[in-house]
Each structure stands twice: as C-alpha cells, then as structure tokens.
Amino acid sequence: MLDIQSDISQLYPNLVWQFFAKICSVPHPSKHEETLIQEIVCWAEDQKLTVCRDRIGNIIIKKPATKGLENRKTVALQAHLDMVPQKNEDKQHNFTLDPIEPYIDGEWVKAKGTTLGADNGIGLSACLAVLASDNIQHGPVEILLTIDEEAGMTGASNLEPNLLEAEILLNTDSEQEGEVYVGCAGGIDSEIFLPLEKEPVPEGIKAFELSLKGLCGGHSGVDIHLGRANANKLMGRFLAKYAHELEIKVAKFTGGSLRNAIPREVFLTGVIPEHKLSKLNISLEEYLYCIKQEFSSIETNLNMSLSMTDETLPYIWTQNTQNSFINLLNAIPNGVMRMSSDFSGIVETSLNVGVITTEEEHISIISLIRSLIDSGKEEVEGILTSLSSLSGAKIEFSGQYPGWKPDPDSEIMKLFRSIYENMYGHKPNIMVIHAGLECGLFKKPYPHMDMISFGPTIKHPHSPDEMVEIKTVEQFWQQLTATLENIPEK
C-alpha cells in the first residue's frame, strides 16, 4: 500500500505521510469509499492483522499489545474513510476517478484546485501508521474506520454493539493542534420542497445567466462563526431587492453542493425585458459594491458575472412561485443563531443554507442545523417549519445525529492533558466543538466508552483552500504515540 512516490511521502513522520500520499491517490469521496476500503483490508490482511467489516461497511482492525503491555486497557483509534469533494470551477476533476494532487507550499500541504482530504485523511493515515509501526509501545489496539461521515454519518449511526472491546476511544477528526475536544454539537438536515409552477417564456425578452463566485466557503461547523458569506443567501438578497423593479423572471436557481459546506458559488438563469438590460448592469454594479463593502475583510475574491445567452429556455417560473421562493430564501436565517452560555466563544446553534436546486416539480432548499442542545435544534426546526408553511412548501427533516455531552471526569482527557503539558510545557485547551463528531453516535452502542478527539491543524476544510500544517502533523503523531504508551492498566 506504500508504493506511492510523492514529495509529501518524504515528510516526517514518514509512515503517516506515506499512507496519506497513498490515500490521496485512491478516489474516496463520500459514498465512494469502497476502492480505498479494499486497499486497506488487503494491506491489513497481508500484515496478518485481524480484520472484519460490519453490516454497514465499517472496518475494524485489531493489533495485539506490545509484549508486556497486554494488561493495559484496550484503545480504539478512530477515523472516517471519506472526504468532501469540492473543487474550483476551473479545475477539471472527477472525484470518483481522479487522484488528489497534494503539494508542499511552505509550511503547509495543499491540493491543486480541490479539497485535500486531510479531513480526515491525516487521522486515517496515523491510525494505519500505528498498525504498521513496530517501535511503538502500546496495549491492545483496535482501529475503527467509518464510512460516509461527511454525507450523513451513516457508518457511525449504524455501528453495532459488541464489535469493539475498547474502553477508550481516540477520535482523530479534530482540526486545531493544541485543542482537545470532549464534546460536540448534534445536528439534523432539513429539506424544503417548494412546488414549482411553470409558464411559457414570453416573446421579446432576453435570457441571461448570472453567477456569484469566489467566496471562501468552508466547513459549516468549524467556520460558521467567521462571518463568511453564503452564496445562496446573497443571490436571494439580490432577487429580493431587484427582481420586481427589473422585471426579472427566474427559470433556474442552483447554489451550493453540500449541506455541510458553506456555499461558495450560485448560478441563476432567467429572462429580462431588453429595455431593462442597462438597468440590470447598473444594479449589479451597485449590489456588488454593497456586498464587497460589507465583506471587505473576509470575501476578497467575491465576484458577480452576467452573460447573455441565446439558449431557448423551456419555461420560466410563474410569478407566484418566484415570489414565494424569493420571500422564503430571503427570510430563512443563516449562520450563527446563538452563542453558548456555558462555553465561552463556542457557537451553540447554527444553520447553513447549503444546497438549492431546481427540480422538475419543485425547488429544493437543503440546510443543516447544528446545536449543542436539543432545544436549540428544535427552535430552528420550528422556524423553518413555520417559514415553509407560510410559503406553501413542504419540509422534511432527516439524518439526525446526537451531540456528545462533555464528561468532566474523563480519565483519558486528564491523561492526555498531563502528557501534553509534559511534552510542551503548557496545557492544551479543553474544548467543545460546534462541528459534528462521530463520538456522540458511538455513545449509543458503547455508552461507557471514554473518548477524546484531537488532531493536527487543518485550515479551510470542505473547500479547495483546505491545507494541513506540516509541523502539527508531527506534533499530532507525538501526542498519539505518547498517549498509547501511557494508557493505564485494566
């Protein structure tokens, strides 16, 4: 499995980076992890390790204790197998066929025009490196590799009891060195279905395509508090302000690609009377200036582009559909809903209006609600339900996953904190993360398992700007191996 020659495979720790180079070479977006799974299973079997897969497709690999440490508590190292597939518009890339192209840029590893997959590929690589290494002291180790984390946490949701013997779980899916996570938000997906009524395209009007691009995007949990613009909301705001005045008739609206990624791009197809074209250009300049001023220190590449098209549109939306859609999109809240009262600087509840598509019979608006508390999640569910009802739309909720409640008496948290302080001379930050981690789901089949989450520094996950800081990968590896060496006896 380690036959890939790459610049990053020369970095330290070599085993971790060699595995990551291999993982980058095997396409593994959510729902398409099977090729990577087969590579890992075959490799583990070649290493004479105990390997099994559960009914949903997760992998469990077991490695015996180092001689003399058989009486230590069993530890599960956990990572997810899939990555978020996001690319720049000008990048030709098929995530189910093409490899990721990592490269070194100073102190960081990045990818050429796509997400890197350091989330959670570095954690996955570290887990495999523990299996491959013959010079780490550790008790019994179990590796749990889950499927489909980014697109619904399917693997974690369906993890069966009695597969793992571990009393401790180390989740490797955190993204800031120096922080150890002991709790996370829960979440639920919402999809609004607005009925689509159509009418013929009038004579004597011009068809156009309007795009809004260049936004930072990012992870809808990790980055939601940074005030980044949401492309869907910005285009909805433009329509709310100008559509009536300019007599714009919408034919198609498409924005965002993943419910857990802040939308970076949105595309609108419509028609407009020819005598309104000059006013449209003026309005676009006015609006673009306005939003660039608002987001001047955040969205430095924000841009809107208008092009006319000779394409014959099959239909436009009726005025009733258009008004309902514009009012609904403009009214849906987005971003931070409330900050936590219990954890300083942590988002309690948020909403990401992630994906909008124009289907044959309806317009779909997919959002992701996150909250540290059930009542916060329920409040946003109620808001969306009310807005849908007022708009004549139907709403469905799915994919609910629980939060992970912090345990102030966690033995593994106290051990990690002590190890970290001895290594670096200062304590790590004990944190609760607004993003969803699989740990909350593991608590159902394994309620007594003691868990923490930590990892290297990864910036801009879920976007083509994703990067991982090289030196923190070494620190992460040091922390992981030192923790394994110091696990207490049963």
Side-chain angles (χ1 to χ4, degrees):
M1 189 175 176
L2 298 179
D3 57 352
I4 297 295
Q5 298 300 312
S6 166
D7 289 345
I8 67 168
S9 64
Q10 307 305 310
L11 296 171
Y12 184 82
N14 298 128
L15 262 180
V16 175
W17 286 107
Q18 287 166 14
F19 275 113
F20 186 62
K22 177 62 178 179
I23 289 166
C24 287
S25 75
V26 182
H28 58 287
S30 301
K31 313 289 186 184
H32 298 276
E33 305 101 320
E34 191 59 31
T35 302
L36 178 59
I37 287 172
Q38 292 304 319
E39 291 267 3
I40 292 171
V41 168
C42 289
W43 173 82
E45 289 174 344
D46 287 345
Q47 304 300 306
K48 310 302 181 186
L49 298 167
T50 302
V51 187
C52 72
R53 295 185 68 183
D54 65 9
R55 286 177 294 184
I56 199 67
N58 301 314
I59 309 173
I60 297 96
I61 307 173
K62 301 189 178 187
K63 183 181 181 184
T66 305
K67 187 175 181 179
L69 300 181
E70 293 85 357
N71 200 38
R72 300 290 181 92
K73 290 183 177 181
T74 302
V75 177
L77 306 182
Q78 190 268 323
H80 63 80
L81 291 151
D82 59 324
M83 66 170 286
V84 169
Q86 291 274 283
K87 69 180 186 68
N88 290 323
E89 187 194 14
D90 59 356
K91 176 69 174 180
Q92 297 296 315
H93 189 92
N94 185 329
F95 281 96
T96 63
L97 298 175
D98 301 331
I100 301 299
E101 302 171 88
Y103 68 97
I104 299 169
D105 184 2
E107 301 300 314
W108 301 83
V109 170
K110 304 177 179 178
K112 296 179 181 178
T114 69
T115 36
L116 173 63
D119 170 18
N120 186 211
I122 292 292
L124 171 57
S125 299
C127 291
L128 297 175
V130 169
L131 294 177
S133 177
D134 57 6
N135 59 5
I136 300 172
Q137 300 293 306
H138 59 77
V141 170
E142 299 175 324
I143 307 296
L144 171 61
L145 307 179
T146 51
I147 65 164
D148 199 35
E149 188 269 352
E150 300 289 7
M153 297 195 178
T154 307
S157 298
N158 291 278
L159 183 64
E160 301 165 36
N162 304 318
L163 290 175
L164 299 173
E165 300 173 10
E167 298 177 59
I168 296 167
L169 184 139
L170 306 180
N171 171 280
T172 64
D173 195 18
S174 295
E175 293 158 357
Q176 182 61 54
E177 197 289 314
E179 296 179 351
V180 55
Y181 292 92
V182 296
C184 72
I188 191 169
D189 299 335
S190 77
E191 183 167 11
I192 297 172
F193 302 88
L194 181 68
L196 175 54
E197 299 172 351
K198 309 169 187 176
E199 63 184 28
V201 180
E203 297 290 336
I205 58 176
K206 296 292 185 180
F208 68 88
E209 294 176 350
L210 178 62
S211 64
L212 190 155
K213 304 177 185 178
L215 301 183
C216 292
H219 192 297
S220 71
V222 175
D223 300 320
I224 200 72
H225 65 291
L226 299 177
R228 294 177 179 175
N230 180 306
N232 289 331
K233 290 289 291 179
L234 287 184
M235 188 65 86
R237 179 176 160 188
F238 173 81
L239 289 173
K241 185 172 184 178
Y242 295 106
H244 178 72
E245 173 189 353
L246 297 174
E247 300 179 41
I248 290 172
K249 304 295 183 184
V250 178
K252 187 177 182 181
F253 190 110
T254 304
S257 59
L258 294 166
R259 95 248 191 273
N260 59 354
I262 301 170
R264 304 169 58 246
E265 300 175 340
V266 61
F267 305 91
L268 172 71
T269 303
V271 296
I272 187 171
E274 188 168 3
H275 69 276
K276 293 285 187 176
L277 280 175
S278 60
K279 178 61 176 173
L280 173 59
N281 282 289
I282 293 170
S283 299
L284 281 173
E285 289 180 9
E286 175 183 284
Y287 183 65
L288 185 59
Y289 176 79
C290 172
I291 58 177
K292 278 189 170 183
Q293 290 295 109
E294 289 182 14
F295 295 97
S296 59
S297 62
I298 302 173
E299 302 291 0
T300 56
N301 295 314
L302 190 164
N303 192 36
M304 295 184 76
S305 176
L306 175 69
S307 61
M308 308 311 294
T309 176
D310 295 326
E311 179 185 357
T312 301
L313 302 179
Y315 61 83
I316 57 172
W317 299 355
T318 64
Q319 194 64 52
N320 179 62
T321 293
Q322 179 166 313
N323 290 344
S324 296
F325 173 78
I326 293 172
N327 289 330
L328 175 59
L329 179 55
N330 201 41
I332 292 176
N334 180 79
V336 176
M337 304 291 288
R338 188 172 186 270
M339 298 298 290
S340 173
S341 301
D342 298 322
F343 302 97
S344 177
I346 299 298
V347 178
E348 178 189 273
T349 305
S350 73
L351 177 66
N352 181 55
V353 184
V355 184
I356 301 178
T357 56
T358 304
E359 308 297 339
E360 187 62 32
E361 297 183 351
H362 66 266
I363 303 156
S364 167
I365 303 175
I366 299 175
S367 303
L368 174 57
I369 306 167
R370 300 181 190 265
S371 186
L372 297 176
I373 58 176
D374 288 342
S375 60
K377 175 176 62 64
E378 291 164 2
E379 179 187 12
V380 182
E381 288 181 57
I383 291 170
L384 294 179
T385 300
S386 295
L387 288 172
S388 299
S389 178
L390 289 169
S391 303
K394 181 179 74 171
I395 188 167
E396 293 180 357
F397 297 98
S398 63
Q400 178 168 293
Y401 57 91
W404 167 26
K405 186 177 180 180
D407 176 8
D409 299 319
S410 166
E411 181 182 37
I412 188 61
M413 180 269 287
K414 293 174 182 177
L415 174 63
F416 184 90
R417 182 173 59 191
S418 175
I419 289 170
Y420 191 99
E421 186 174 13
N422 288 337
M423 292 176 72
Y424 306 118
H426 61 90
K427 290 184 174 70
N429 295 319
I430 308 300
M431 303 286 289
V432 174
I433 192 171
H434 186 62
L437 293 172
E438 293 167 293
C439 297
L441 291 161
F442 299 148
K443 278 291 187 180
K444 185 176 180 180
Y446 300 95
H448 303 298
M449 191 176 281
D450 194 7
M451 301 184 291
I452 59 171
S453 177
F454 61 103
T457 297
I458 299 171
K459 296 295 187 184
H460 316 304
H462 297 196
S463 86
D465 298 322
E466 181 183 5
M467 62 180 82
V468 59
E469 191 174 16
I470 295 167
K471 69 177 181 182
T472 66
V473 175
E474 180 179 354
Q475 292 172 306
F476 165 57
W477 178 247
Q478 291 170 343
Q479 295 155 22
L480 177 62
T481 53
T483 302
L484 289 174
E485 289 172 3
N486 288 278
I487 295 295
E489 293 185 353
K490 298 175 183 177

